[in-house]
Amino acid sequence: MAARHHPLVGGLLALFLALTGLIALPPAPAHAATPVCALVCDTLDPSKAQQDTFPVPNRTINGRTVRLHVSDPDSAAWASIDNGVAGDAVWLDRSWDRGATWEGLLGRASVPGSWTGTRTLMYNITDPVAHRRGWIRACGDAAGVTCTDWVYPKVCDGTSCDGADPATAAGDDTPVPATTLFGRTISLHVDQRGGMAWGVISGGGAGDEIWLDRSWDGGASHPEGSSLGRTSVSSGVTSTRTALFATRDPRGLLYGGAVRACGREAAHQEGSCTAWARPAPTRVRGAADALMASYQTNEGWWRSSWWNSAVALTSVIDFAEQSGRHDYDWVIARTYEQNRGVFPAGGRSSDPIEGHFISRAIDDAGWWAIAWLAAYDYTGDRRYLEEAVTITDYVHQYWDTRTCGGGVWWDRERTYKNAVTNGLYLWLTTSLHQRISGDTVWGARATTVADWYLASGMINSSGLVNDGITSGCANNGQTVWSYNQGLAIGAFTQLWRSTGSTRYLDTAERLADTAISSPALTRGGVLTESCDLGTASCDDNQKQFKGIFVRHLADLADATASTSYKAYITKQADSIWTNDRDALNRLGQRWSGAAPNVSDWRTQASALEALTAAGRLSG
């Protein structure tokens, strides 16, 4: 007679085996899989994987081999079972809360017919769009169930990984005030340079606890990062600290992670936490990480603003070139590949996108051409130069001498000739001439549009650029915006570089001198739009104007070695970092820090450009 096992013993054995990975307990019913798209989408065929590595040991069950396959360039995984028989099965489990619960049976596949093995489809390990960091493992069933270890349980940023000793930190900063609870002090400590953090509880007694929470969406949620490094105060001492934990997960495409320190007094259940904070290894890195936290990895842009995304991409490229860091190089190709196609109205813009980043808004296309020229300069990849030529050819179609003797129309309906479209066209034609060996066509167009621009009346008698010209071909007196001023400064600076004509450099300097001294654009030494004043608010387009101005002023500062331009740019960066930044390194619209102020990825990209320019000029 076969022995019978007590059900409690069997249950405890099953629990033990599950925790050690020898069998898999079923997932909680509420955790059904929601399809994830990051660099790839769930259920991609493994034959399309960019890499095949085996970061955790295989598991063997009844002679079968269960293996976890990972492609880091895709940030995805799949599972296989070998040496099996028909009916053996393999699948993936994926957890968003460090293995507490999981989505089970992902891609479950059974060995068919006379085969001896099979594999699942690919599934994402990470979900940067939803700000979730995942674990994943391979499981198999062959007259018994076994699972591999979870992959990537620790976050690593370069050589720094979760769990390191705070004694190895390169610095110790407390970015937010400590909190107190029943006489205990709970404090958050960060190594700014390394981007690592730890928590400390002091003034307490045995059994008191300290831990970190980590969030990938600025503190809105933290399922993967709750109670990290939870540690108790030992008997006979009054304080303790957690291990170090990272705030960036490059492997998981998660940047700008926020942390807070939390603690509990031994005799009470309630705890208390500090405010959330993000480390900032440098000004530009702190700003860039916070900007990239809003990047839509699956779609390859910053969602809901088309031309603004081109400017944000340009700011990331400028950051990479100035800082020498390659964290975000992948973003350039990702943005290009995901967006050069056709999109219906509402897909990327209120207008249809017709391919090659082109729509009825001529200026929108121009901003993308600037981004691809920046990408070409940084990477040397000629497809970006070719894309810029295609876009600028499109813009050129709207150069029209029949109205006002020249100028590019702002829209396909030919309703308005304005400063932004013509400033873009002048900068692009000049820049293409500089980059295309033996060019005569773009260079000739550049001098033609420059002469027209100077004669158009858009630059008023004070040396400020108004928004455009009337149907009667006169300055329309509309708002002076910093980006129009900046584009003209940059375009005439570049044209001087191409031709050597002091006429163009004199124009750039006049425009710059006026901008930094006129209350129309500068208040208290800080660049200020009209929508930055009083109770006014800037719309989503206007939020990015100032960064464009500073980018081009920095070009003029390089060309002239002007100490006054350099000092002005330094002033902008200092004011942003001192007055316009919160503990999460979010940078607002009003660089003076005046209220009311708002921040989003557009204001972040704009301020990043100013910080990058200041860093370049100080190097």
Side-chain angles (χ1 to χ4, degrees), residues 4-26:
R4 298 181 64 185
H5 297 287
H6 190 282
L8 177 59
V9 174
L12 290 174
L13 177 62
L15 178 60
F16 170 76
L17 293 174
L19 292 174
T20 56
L22 296 176
I23 70 168
L25 291 177

Side-chain angles (χ1 to χ4, degrees), residues 262-344:
C262 301
R264 185 184 70 85
E265 189 266 338
H268 296 82
Q269 288 301 312
E270 65 265 35
S272 183
C273 299
T274 68
W276 293 96
R278 285 178 174 133
T282 64
R283 290 178 172 186
V284 289
R285 284 184 61 190
D289 283 346
L291 173 61
M292 282 304 302
S294 297
Y295 184 75
Q296 296 290 310
T297 307
N298 58 330
E299 297 174 351
W301 70 317
W302 286 266
R303 184 174 288 169
S304 81
S305 289
W306 180 238
W307 79 269
N308 305 73
S309 288
V311 178
L313 177 63
T314 304
S315 76
V316 170
I317 296 169
D318 288 347
F319 155 74
E321 190 162 34
Q322 184 272 318
S323 67
R325 294 193 61 87
H326 301 286
D327 308 62
Y328 304 129
D329 287 3
W330 63 273
V331 173
I332 302 170
R334 183 68 179 173
T335 305
Y336 177 80
E337 291 159 2
Q338 294 298 106
N339 291 283
R340 69 187 300 264
V342 175
F343 299 90

Side-chain angles (χ1 to χ4, degrees), residues 568-611:
Y568 182 85
I569 292 169
T570 300
K571 169 78 172 180
Q572 308 316 302
D574 289 346
S575 185
I576 289 167
W577 200 251
T578 303
N579 304 315
D580 190 31
R581 175 177 66 103
D582 67 11
L584 295 174
N585 301 325
R586 293 177 298 201
L587 308 174
Q589 167 61 34
R590 299 190 178 198
W591 290 359
S592 67
N597 205 359
V598 297
S599 63
D600 62 15
W601 65 260
R602 300 165 191 83
T603 67
Q604 193 77 22
S606 182
L608 171 61
E609 198 69 79
L611 296 172

Side-chain angles (χ1 to χ4, degrees), residues 52-233:
D52 186 0
T53 63
F54 316 104
V56 298
N58 301 336
R59 286 298 173 97
T60 301
I61 180 171
N62 296 323
R64 284 74 155 174
T65 300
V66 178
R67 180 178 289 115
L68 180 67
H69 304 249
V70 171
S71 174
D72 283 328
D74 298 308
S75 198
W78 67 100
S80 67
I81 188 168
D82 294 299
N83 303 321
V85 298
D88 291 347
V90 67
W91 66 88
L92 292 169
D93 289 341
R94 180 169 61 192
S95 174
W96 304 111
D97 53 11
R98 305 206 312 274
T101 62
W102 57 86
E103 302 166 336
L105 304 178
L106 296 180
R108 188 180 189 278
S110 296
V111 176
S114 60
W115 293 20
T116 60
T118 191
R119 65 187 181 185
T120 69
L121 297 174
M122 294 172 67
Y123 285 80
N124 280 282
I125 304 171
T126 187
D127 185 10
V129 175
H131 309 288
R132 299 187 297 175
R133 182 178 182 274
W135 294 6
I136 208 162
R137 66 183 180 181
C139 298
D141 183 355
V145 176
T146 190
C147 294
T148 68
D149 295 336
W150 295 103
V151 77
Y152 304 141
K154 290 184 177 182
V155 176
C156 290
D157 182 9
T159 59
S160 300
C161 294
D162 288 352
D165 188 334
T168 64
D172 184 353
D173 187 31
T174 50
V176 292
T179 184
T180 58
L181 181 69
F182 301 113
R184 280 67 172 164
T185 299
I186 299 157
S187 54
L188 175 67
H189 298 250
V190 300
D191 168 7
Q192 299 281 17
R193 190 172 74 184
M196 305 293 286
W198 69 101
V200 174
I201 187 168
S202 58
D208 292 350
E209 292 183 316
I210 182 71
W211 65 89
L212 285 182
D213 289 340
R214 177 169 60 200
S215 172
W216 302 108
D217 55 8
S221 65
H222 47 96
E224 175 272 339
S226 180
S227 297
L228 296 174
R230 197 176 190 109
T231 304
S232 298
V233 175

Side-chain angles (χ1 to χ4, degrees), residues 390-571:
T390 297
I391 295 170
T392 311
D393 273 333
Y394 168 72
V395 175
H396 175 71
Q397 294 175 30
Y398 293 89
W399 172 265
D400 186 354
T401 58
R402 295 168 298 177
T403 302
C404 301
V408 177
W409 292 103
W410 172 63
D411 57 1
R412 192 174 288 167
E413 292 76 18
R414 300 175 184 252
T415 62
Y416 185 34
K417 290 186 176 180
N418 62 357
V420 62
T421 313
N422 285 282
L424 286 163
Y425 183 58
L426 176 55
W427 191 92
L428 287 168
T429 52
T430 305
S431 297
L432 289 179
H433 171 68
Q434 293 168 336
R435 289 161 177 79
I436 299 174
S437 178
D439 169 73
T440 57
V441 173
W442 291 112
R445 289 172 177 173
T447 55
T448 297
V449 70
D451 291 343
W452 177 85
Y453 192 110
L454 291 171
S456 69
M458 282 189 293
I459 302 174
N460 66 32
S461 59
S462 298
L464 295 168
V465 180
N466 290 101
D467 194 69
I469 56 177
T470 67
S471 57
C473 305
N475 185 307
N476 62 14
Q478 291 185 19
T479 306
V480 172
W481 296 111
S482 65
Y483 80 149
N484 286 331
Q485 198 85 7
L487 276 171
I489 290 168
F492 284 111
T493 299
Q494 286 302 317
L495 194 53
W496 168 75
R497 292 182 190 273
S498 294
T499 66
S501 172
T502 57
R503 175 192 185 203
Y504 300 133
L505 185 61
D506 290 345
T507 298
E509 291 180 310
R510 179 185 175 221
L511 292 169
D513 293 343
T514 302
I516 66 178
S517 62
S518 170
L521 287 174
T522 300
R523 300 290 181 99
V526 178
L527 188 61
T528 305
E529 303 285 1
S530 57
C531 58
D532 288 330
L533 298 174
T535 59
S537 61
C538 298
D539 67 24
D540 283 348
N541 292 327
Q542 296 155 4
K543 289 173 181 175
Q544 278 188 284
F545 289 177
K546 294 196 290 289
I548 295 164
F549 173 88
V550 175
R551 180 179 198 255
H552 292 292
L553 181 64
D555 188 25
L556 179 60
D558 275 340
T560 60
S562 166
T563 56
S564 62
Y565 300 153
K566 179 180 176 180
Y568 182 85
I569 292 169
T570 300
K571 169 78 172 180

